[in-house]
Amino acid sequence: MKRARLVALALGVASVGSCKGNEEVTLVLLDPCADEAGVSFKESSVYTEILVVKDGCPSDEDLALGKVEGIEFQGVAESGGKLPSVGDLGKGKYGFVVLAKDANCGVIGFGCTAADLENIREVRIAVRAWTSGDTCQPLSGGKCPAPKTCNEGRCVESGDGGT
């Protein structure tokens, strides 16, 4: 059985490492608007969330609202910071999701790439405002899902210092 381990950097390059001698998969997070339009989602976001979901990507509309179900892993890092390892992922199809968020916990950009870890060696995720007419203009997307609240740019449970 192929298993992979994901170690990620916010809007950079990371490896989906292997354990037990399995091949390594590289995760590349792209910020194409920084070159095309001078708008950097990396610099505009307060934090970046990476999620791994089984069987593929949610719809763009759901991602723009920050609505993701079936999460196998969720990691958070401040803008430009290193994200934690997701540990081992079994073989199969996954959606690798990136949500760039602002200080009010709103989604300003997102990306998702579906990959089958059975035969993929590199996963590239482009972060943009995919649901808008101008994909390089940051969104003012969804906030924290209830019962979570936004506290210093992060969605937290109400009992964890949320406002």
Side-chain angles (χ1 to χ4, degrees):
M1 173 189 284
K2 176 167 172 111
R3 296 183 68 75
R5 195 180 58 144
L6 175 69
V7 179
L9 302 171
L11 298 175
V13 178
S15 66
V16 178
S18 60
C19 65
K20 302 179 185 174
N22 292 321
E23 295 194 37
E24 197 167 272
V25 178
T26 303
L27 177 65
V28 181
L29 305 179
L30 307 170
D31 192 358
C33 290
D35 294 330
E36 292 175 19
V39 174
S40 170
F41 286 100
K42 178 180 179 179
E43 293 173 9
S44 298
S45 66
V46 171
Y47 74 95
T48 303
E49 238 180 319
I50 188 163
L51 305 107
V52 180
V53 295
K54 192 74 173 154
D55 298 325
C57 294
S59 71
D60 284 352
E61 292 75 18
D62 283 347
L63 290 173
L65 295 172
K67 292 172 48 178
V68 180
E69 295 181 7
I71 298 170
E72 296 278 321
F73 170 80
Q74 181 175 13
V76 178
E78 291 182 16
S79 182
K82 186 175 181 178
L83 292 173
S85 169
V86 302
D88 292 329
L89 295 173
K91 68 178 181 178
K93 296 178 183 176
Y94 295 90
F96 292 87
V97 176
V98 174
L99 301 175
K101 295 193 171 183
D102 64 18
N104 297 315
C105 301
V107 176
I108 62 167
F110 63 89
C112 185
T113 299
D116 186 340
L117 294 185
E118 183 68 32
N119 54 26
I120 297 293
R121 300 292 171 253
E122 182 173 273
V123 178
R124 292 177 174 264
I125 307 168
V127 179
R128 288 186 164 199
W130 292 107
T131 55
S132 74
D134 180 358
T135 60
C136 288
Q137 180 63 40
L139 299 170
S140 55
K143 307 296 182 209
C144 298
K148 294 185 177 184
T149 57
C150 188
N151 183 23
E152 297 179 7
R154 295 208 175 154
C155 293
V156 297
E157 297 295 333
S158 294
D160 292 336
T163 56

